[in-house]
Amino acid sequence: MRDHGGNLDAARARFGGTDWIDLSTGINRAPYPLPPLPPEVWTALPTAPAKAALLAAAQAAFGTAAPGMALAGAQAAIQMLPRLGPPGRARVLAPTYNEHAAQLRAAGWQVEEVARLTDLAGADLAVVVNPNNPDGQTHAPADLLALSGAVGRLVVDESFADPVPGLSVAAHAGTDGLTVLRSFGKFWGLAGLRLGFVFADAATIAALEAAAGPWPVSGPALEIGRIALADAPWCAATIARLAAEALRLDALAQGAGWSLVGGTALFRTYATPDAPAALEGLARERIWSRIFPWSPTWLRLGLPGGAAEWGRLSAALAR
């Protein structure tokens, strides 16, 4: 099994207790308020008009007119894209979200992990996570668009791009093999809904639709996503709040002697003297964080949700 955040079952098994604050992911802990739903979204199969309405809301929210589709999270697209055609040479800008390389290898691709954007050129398929998880590295849209002409397919995973809309290349999806992934669960804080989007050329979307089957997204997800994506005031207020709270978290970490590696408005990654020891120290206070098997010092924290969680984290970092 690959390591991921959100594994509170492992935290409870190791450290005990039930009153955990899960900061091991980049999921917004002040989520979008669930709207009332009509009964038919639970009792009837999802309809074509409902799917179309959600896609239209997503295209408007992400600033694109490209062909697209909704899936059960961006993860579903990560698993499906490598299997659309014969495998070849893939390059992944790393370190990053570990499912990209893993799913490519599982589909038979020859995968090389590279450290520079320019090293992706020449690949049959290249992957960039922008902003990157876990270091927050970003790449200008102009650089990504230039790269898309130098690879067979460029997959840009924008799962953490909602707080910085200017980074997105979704408007150009479908050109020169550019394929863009978007997450819903992270920024809107409803990861359990399992909703995400892929935008690409019409042929790619048709192939994904054929592979996904007639009902890739549930009726409740279609309705909640449509409403939430169109709520521009909530999005603007959330972007502003996250920006301020990211700086607040940086100040707490600095007070604990940690230094900022990078991050986004949804998570921050810090260099610590000893990441496993830092994780254990927070875990004793029932706060779950994320460390990485390839770094002895990096620790990632999501942002707390609400005054009580901020208070517990502040007290834990002051110890």
Side-chain angles (χ1 to χ4, degrees), residues 120-244:
L120 296 171
D124 299 312
L125 186 151
V127 177
V128 179
V129 179
N130 192 46
N132 190 42
N133 172 21
D135 62 8
Q137 184 180 26
T138 60
H139 302 280
D143 293 335
L144 295 174
L145 295 176
L147 176 64
S148 66
V151 300
R153 181 191 298 277
L154 176 61
V155 177
V156 180
D157 183 343
E158 296 183 346
S159 290
F160 289 99
D162 296 286
V164 280
L167 279 179
S168 179
V169 292
H172 304 276
T175 303
D176 291 330
L178 178 62
T179 301
V180 176
L181 311 184
R182 298 291 299 225
S183 172
F184 177 83
K186 296 175 179 65
F187 178 74
W188 279 270
L190 299 173
L193 202 64
R194 304 312 305 137
L195 181 60
F197 302 89
V198 55
F199 298 96
D201 59 275
T204 294
I205 296 302
L208 288 170
E209 288 177 335
W215 306 293
V217 176
S218 71
L222 292 174
E223 182 70 1
I224 293 169
R226 179 188 65 81
I227 293 169
L229 286 163
D231 193 340
W234 184 90
C235 292
T238 299
I239 289 172
R241 175 184 60 80
L242 291 171

Side-chain angles (χ1 to χ4, degrees), residues 249-274:
L249 186 56
D250 289 347
L252 290 177
Q254 184 178 16
W258 302 349
S259 59
L260 180 67
V261 172
T264 72
L266 286 162
F267 66 83
R268 314 299 281 171
T269 299
Y270 301 105
T272 73
D274 183 333

Side-chain angles (χ1 to χ4, degrees), residues 21 29-30 241 245 248 252 303-315:
I21 301 173
R29 290 186 63 79
R241 175 184 60 80
E245 292 186 349
R248 179 182 179 184
L252 290 177
L303 276 62
E309 292 191 4
W310 278 102
R312 281 181 58 184
L313 180 62
S314 298

